[in-house]
Amino acid sequence: MTDDDLAVLPKADERTRQLVELGAFLGPGPVSGHDDGLAAMTADLAARSGLLVGQDEAGNIRLLDGADPEARRRRLWGDFWLEHGIPALPEPNELDLLLDRGPGEVAGRLRSAVQAVIQATMARSRIAEMESHEAPWTPAEMEEYDRLSDQLSLLTNLLADLAQAITDNLPAIRATAPAAIDATATEPRGPAG
C-alpha cells in the first residue's frame, strides 16, 4: 500500500494504545527482550491491535501502527478478524440502518448475503467446538460435521458474493440517500420546531 493508502487506515484506539504503552513502560517487555506476565500480556495486546512497540533514540517507548498486511487487518477488523479470519460484518442493527434507505429488493439481497456469511462463520465455530471433544462421535455428529464442513468450504465464495452484492447495489442505495435526507429535513419536529 502507498503511504496515502496507509494514512486512511484506522489507528488502534487510544485506550488500547495507552494500555500497551503503560505495560511496556512498567517493566521488562517486548522492547528489552525480557519476559514476564505483564510483558506477555502487553505483547499480546499490541499484536492483537496491530501495534509495534519500540524505542526512540532516547530510550522512550514508541508505538507504531504496524504496516504489514496482518497488522492492518487487525486494526481494521479487530477481534472479529482474529476469531473468524474474515472482515468484520455490520451488526444487524447497523445493517438495518444502512438498508432502510435502499429499495426493498436491494435490502433483501444484501441481508441474504450477510446471513449466508454469518452461517458459514458459525459453522467454523461449531466445527472447532466439535473437534475439541475427545469422546467418540455419534453418527449424527459425523453427519453434522460433514454438513458444517461443506458450509464452511463456501465461505470465500460467500464473501465474494457479499462484496459483489454491495458493489452492484451501492449505486441504488446512494441514489436514495438524498431523498431520505430531504424527507427528514421537511418533517415537522414537534412543538419546538
Side-chain angles (χ1 to χ4, degrees), residues 3-191:
D3 289 342
D4 290 340
D5 292 334
L6 289 172
V8 298
L9 288 178
K11 306 273 185 216
D13 68 84
E14 190 57 33
R15 181 175 177 210
T16 300
R17 294 179 84 81
Q18 289 173 351
L19 287 171
V20 171
E21 192 172 54
L22 179 63
F25 174 78
L26 286 177
V31 174
S32 68
H34 295 93
D35 194 23
D36 63 12
L38 178 60
M41 288 188 312
T42 300
D44 180 60
L45 180 58
R48 291 178 68 86
S49 305
L51 292 171
L52 299 174
V53 180
Q55 288 180 319
D56 62 17
E57 298 79 25
N60 297 319
I61 301 296
R62 296 232 354 167
L63 298 183
L64 303 171
D65 293 314
D68 66 277
E70 183 62 20
R72 294 191 308 254
R73 288 187 285 260
R74 290 176 180 200
R75 284 197 313 280
L76 277 169
W77 302 310
D79 286 339
F80 200 90
W81 171 259
L82 292 169
E83 291 172 23
H84 304 293
I86 64 171
L89 300 172
E91 296 289 330
N93 60 337
E94 293 172 328
L95 189 62
D96 289 341
L97 182 63
L98 291 171
L99 297 179
D100 280 347
R101 299 187 307 199
E105 66 277 2
V106 169
R109 182 173 178 209
L110 291 175
R111 280 190 181 96
S112 295
V114 168
Q115 188 60 37
V117 171
I118 289 170
Q119 288 173 347
T121 303
M122 291 173 59
R124 174 182 284 164
S125 299
R126 176 66 179 135
I127 286 171
E129 179 184 316
M130 292 177 78
E131 289 175 342
S132 70
H133 293 152
E134 295 181 17
W137 288 4
T138 66
E141 288 172 324
M142 287 186 274
E143 185 178 315
E144 178 186 12
Y145 185 87
D146 289 342
R147 182 181 52 77
L148 292 170
S149 295
D150 290 343
Q151 190 175 14
L152 179 58
S153 71
L154 300 174
L155 182 57
T156 301
N157 292 339
L158 294 171
L159 283 166
D161 290 346
L162 174 58
Q164 189 63 55
I166 292 169
T167 302
D168 292 346
N169 293 294
L170 194 55
I173 294 171
R174 284 185 174 156
T176 59
I181 292 169
D182 291 342
T184 58
T186 58
E187 290 176 1
R189 297 193 174 179

